[in-house]
């Protein structure tokens, strides 16, 4: 059963409409401070204000631990609460879990940025754009907090106790990545998310090579199970992809590669090779002017909780918005039913 400490956490998360309990107050205070002092992250250890960066990282770690505790509380609540209580309270706890997955990943992203001065854009939203309580206050602190349609979605019919971790791509993940090859993390993602595991570069290669700072990984107890990747300046990214990355990949994977590899899964291999050698469609200039950033997201079939997918989208869009993006687009083949269904479920 739930422990007394876990029940206390529940009460503190949903105390009174305009008055937070200790846990909720601590979450908000840490997040406000980390957002307001994010410029401290880039201060060198030998700099005159090195203690500012150390303090920021210390508070970021405290915030991560609080988020992890709350996510564990959601998992425990689903596993142990009586059915009547579960269906009464789960929608609220599920909302907070999703929000904290995104907020935690965004803070981690701020902490490992080479970009030291994110522009945390935001303006006052209409009162109806945000919900009340802890959820609404956390929403207001994310750079995309005024995009209210990103935050309103019904909870799952069958609650899941699955624990998720959402984080930015870390330097260790990129070890071994060269040209079209991928690290262990991206290889596992490719194997689970794509029908062509023989060529890991097909899925994430261009983003890992050209825009790794806007790549996020979703993990569950089975390992990596989702990703979100973006390019802040899509026009330059696409030009670089077509002029340097694609030619290198085509040289590495010649057109006749798929004709002799049954052990690798010949059909999948041929499909992947054709993908690399097909000419990519040009993006019209009006699209690039209105939506200057490119995004790509995906999850493994085992991820049934749309809340985790929403959190992926939120943290990627927050990172892009923090550095000045006005809008994003994604490219999907009209024949790719799986991706079309995924983006449709996101809303």
């Amino acid at each position: 059963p739930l422990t007394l400490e876990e029940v206390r956490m529940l009460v503190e998360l949903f105390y009174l409409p305009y008055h937070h309990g200790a846990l909720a107050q601590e979450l908000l205070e840490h997040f406000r401070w980390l957002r307001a002092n994010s410029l401290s992250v880039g201060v060198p250890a030998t700099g005159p204000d090195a203690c500012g960066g150390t303090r920021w990282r210390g508070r970021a770690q405290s915030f991560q631990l609080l988020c992890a505790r709350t996510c564990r509380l959601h998992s425990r609540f689903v596993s142990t609460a009586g059915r009547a209580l579960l269906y009464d309270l789960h929608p609220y706890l599920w909302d907070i879990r999703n929000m904290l997955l995104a907020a935690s990943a965004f803070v981690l992203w701020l902490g490992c940025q080479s970009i030291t001065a994110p522009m945390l854009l935001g303006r006052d939203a209409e009162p109806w754009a945000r919900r009340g309580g802890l959820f609404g206050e956390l929403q207001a602190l994310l750079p995309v907090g005024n995009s209210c349609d990103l935050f309103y979605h019904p909870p799952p019919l069958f609650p899941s106790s699955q624990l998720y971790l959402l984080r930015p791509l870390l330097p260790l993940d990129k070890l071994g990545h060269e040209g079209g090859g991928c690290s262990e993390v991206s290889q596992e993602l490719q194997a689970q998310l794509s029908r062509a595991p023989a060529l890991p570069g097909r899925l994430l290669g261009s983003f890992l090579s050209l825009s790794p700072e806007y790549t996020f990984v979703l993990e569950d107890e089975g390992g990596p199970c989702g990703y979100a990747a973006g390019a802040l300046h899509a026009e330059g990214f696409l030009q670089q992809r077509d002029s340097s990355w694609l030619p290198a990949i085509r040289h590495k994977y010649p057109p006749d590669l798929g004709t002799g590899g049954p052990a690798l899964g010949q059909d999948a291999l041929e499909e992947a090779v054709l993908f690399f050698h097909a000419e990519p469609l040009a993006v019209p200039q009006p699209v690039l002017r209105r939506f200057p950033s490119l995004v790509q997201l995906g999850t493994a079939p085992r991820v049934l909780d749309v809340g985790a997918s929403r959190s992926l989208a939120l943290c990627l869009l927050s990172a892009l918005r923090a550095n000045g993006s006005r809008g994003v687009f994604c490219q999907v083949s009209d024949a790719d039913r799986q991706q079309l269904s995924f983006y449709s479920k996101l809303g």
Side-chain angles (χ1 to χ4, degrees):
L2 290 172
T3 65
L4 181 61
E5 179 61 26
E6 287 167 334
V7 174
R8 184 178 288 115
M9 286 174 66
L10 265 177
V11 172
E12 290 178 355
L13 285 170
F14 308 104
Y15 198 68
L16 289 170
Y18 300 101
H19 185 62
H20 301 303
L23 174 63
Q25 195 61 46
E26 197 175 355
L27 280 165
L28 283 171
E29 286 173 3
H30 279 316
F31 197 18
R32 286 193 189 108
W33 189 90
L34 290 165
R35 204 189 96 144
N37 295 275
S38 59
L39 294 183
S40 304
V41 186
V43 176
T46 55
D49 190 29
C51 59
T54 305
R55 187 180 174 204
W56 193 96
R57 293 178 194 284
R59 289 198 69 162
Q61 189 173 16
S62 299
F63 180 71
Q64 304 293 333
L65 290 172
L66 286 175
C67 292
R69 280 180 62 199
T70 309
C71 290
R72 279 198 302 273
L73 173 63
H74 169 266
S75 178
R76 289 268 298 129
F77 184 74
V78 172
S79 300
T80 60
R83 295 296 96 180
L85 184 64
L86 172 62
Y87 282 99
D88 274 349
L89 295 185
H90 177 258
Y92 305 100
L93 194 53
W94 181 74
D95 269 343
I96 294 296
R97 190 281 307 257
N98 297 338
M99 181 66 73
L100 290 179
L101 276 176
S104 174
F106 180 67
V107 166
L108 269 174
W109 175 81
L110 284 175
C112 64
Q113 272 305 282
S114 55
I115 305 165
T116 57
M119 303 172 289
L120 291 166
L121 303 178
R123 57 186 184 277
D124 291 337
E126 296 293 333
W128 52 264
R130 296 198 189 108
R131 229 178 294 175
L134 177 62
F135 182 93
E137 294 202 40
L138 287 168
Q139 176 189 336
L141 291 171
L142 284 173
V144 290
N146 292 340
S147 306
C148 55
D149 54 329
L150 289 171
F151 297 89
Y152 289 87
H153 43 284
L157 195 58
F158 302 103
S160 165
S161 61
Q162 178 66 65
L163 274 170
Y164 291 102
L165 170 68
L166 180 53
R167 60 175 178 80
L169 194 76
L170 301 174
L172 284 175
D173 296 327
K174 292 181 282 183
L175 287 177
H177 169 67
E178 183 180 353
C182 289
S183 66
E184 185 179 344
V185 166
S186 53
Q187 282 180 351
E188 190 171 344
L189 276 170
Q190 175 72 21
Q192 295 185 37
L193 306 178
S194 172
R195 293 162 305 200
L199 294 184
R202 175 182 173 184
L203 186 66
L204 283 170
S206 58
F207 290 99
L208 287 173
S209 292
L210 307 174
S211 186
E213 64 274 20
Y214 293 103
T215 304
F216 293 85
V217 178
L218 181 71
E219 294 180 322
D220 62 11
E221 290 160 2
C225 59
Y227 75 98
L232 183 63
H233 303 293
E235 187 170 13
F237 172 85
L238 294 172
Q239 286 173 356
Q240 202 173 352
R241 182 198 68 182
D242 296 346
S243 64
S244 59
W245 185 81
L246 265 180
I249 289 294
R250 287 167 177 169
H251 178 73
K252 185 171 184 176
Y253 301 113
D256 58 354
L257 179 66
T259 58
L264 296 173
Q266 190 168 357
D267 292 342
L269 185 60
E270 287 179 2
E271 183 188 343
V273 170
L274 285 173
F275 174 83
F276 284 134
H277 286 271
E279 281 304 315
L281 292 174
V283 180
Q285 278 300 318
V287 172
L288 290 170
R289 280 196 294 270
R290 187 174 176 188
F291 307 102
S293 302
L294 172 66
V295 298
Q296 181 176 300
L297 300 95
T299 56
R302 70 175 187 267
V303 180
L304 302 177
D305 188 341
V306 73
S309 305
R310 287 265 182 166
S311 298
L312 261 177
L314 275 179
C315 66
L316 174 59
L317 296 176
S318 291
L320 292 167
R321 177 70 171 157
N323 281 311
S325 177
R326 302 186 311 276
V328 304
F329 71 96
C330 60
Q331 291 179 296
V332 191
S333 164
D334 57 4
D336 193 337
R337 300 292 178 192
Q338 188 178 349
Q339 277 294 87
L340 288 170
S341 171
F342 174 79
Y343 286 117
S344 299
K345 286 175 184 172
L346 283 182

